[in-house]
Amino acid sequence: MPAQNPARLPRRWLTAASAFALSTALLAGCAVYKPEVLQGNFVSREQVSALQPGMSRDQVRQVLGTPLLTDMFRSNRWDYVFTAQHRKGVEPQKYAVAVFFEGDALARIEGAEDLPSETEFVERMSDGKVYKPRNLEASPEKLQSFTDSQKAKAKPQPELPEAPSTTSYPALPQ
């Protein structure tokens, strides 16, 4: 291996040091990207107020949705958890509601006292933006024009084949 020229060695270091300084200066303005993470089921105060003791599990699922956690060792408890992290301009949020059953009937709810209403939740998550409610009602004329256009787009259905004359089949060979 040939000996390096002592005059060139500092020049290489200078080049490497200046490249490092330049890259550091360019990256100094960059921040680490943290993706927004929304997880779980948001349950509002209005949803919890619709629950009544004695409701069946299916009725509770209709109101609150599928639970995020169901414990296989305690089948009488459903947990609904919602977390929001790394949302720009919004503080991290966490809501947890536990629903308890006796048999198939709703017995009690825990954690519902800290839940926001739907309006409060939207205000917290919107970072100060104001959303105007939209008019979602259709006039009878608009409804009629919609049904007329759907009928015009409808394709004629092909005729279905007739059912077989017999539903008994021969025995399978043994």
Side-chain angles (χ1 to χ4, degrees):
M1 179 171 198
Q4 292 191 3
N5 183 352
R8 282 191 70 105
L9 189 60
R11 189 173 181 183
R12 285 185 184 168
W13 285 7
L14 182 62
T15 304
S18 61
F20 178 76
L22 179 63
S23 63
T24 304
L26 288 174
L27 293 176
C30 299
V32 176
Y33 173 72
K34 292 184 180 179
E36 178 179 312
V37 180
L38 302 175
Q39 292 181 319
N41 312 49
F42 172 71
V43 176
S44 68
R45 192 179 315 145
E46 292 89 351
Q47 287 175 294
V48 171
S49 66
L51 297 177
Q52 301 295 322
M55 291 177 89
S56 71
R57 291 175 188 256
D58 288 336
Q59 291 171 321
V60 172
R61 185 176 277 126
Q62 285 289 83
V63 174
L64 300 182
T66 303
L68 184 67
L69 300 170
T70 54
D71 190 346
M72 72 160 82
F73 298 109
R74 292 180 286 170
S75 62
N76 64 337
R77 176 182 176 145
W78 287 356
D79 289 292
Y80 293 86
V81 180
F82 176 81
T83 60
Q85 299 174 350
H86 309 302
R87 189 171 177 93
K88 188 176 180 181
V90 178
E91 292 182 28
Q93 298 183 32
K94 181 177 180 181
Y95 306 106
V97 176
V99 180
F100 296 89
F101 296 93
E102 288 180 9
D104 190 40
L106 176 64
R108 71 180 197 279
I109 304 165
E110 289 182 3
E113 52 277 348
D114 298 330
L115 294 176
S117 67
E118 291 177 9
T119 307
E120 292 169 344
F121 177 72
V122 170
E123 288 172 0
R124 289 180 191 175
M125 296 299 287
S126 66
D127 189 26
K129 295 177 186 170
V130 177
Y131 295 97
K132 292 185 252 176
R134 295 182 289 170
N135 182 10
L136 299 176
E137 293 182 28
S139 66
E141 296 81 26
K142 282 190 177 186
L143 288 174
Q144 185 60 42
S145 68
F146 176 74
T147 54
D148 292 343
S149 67
Q150 290 297 325
K151 287 178 185 176
K153 290 180 187 177
K155 296 178 182 176
Q157 296 292 325
E159 289 188 30
L160 297 175
E162 293 183 22
S165 60
T166 179
T167 56
S168 63
Y169 300 97
L172 294 173
Q174 299 295 328

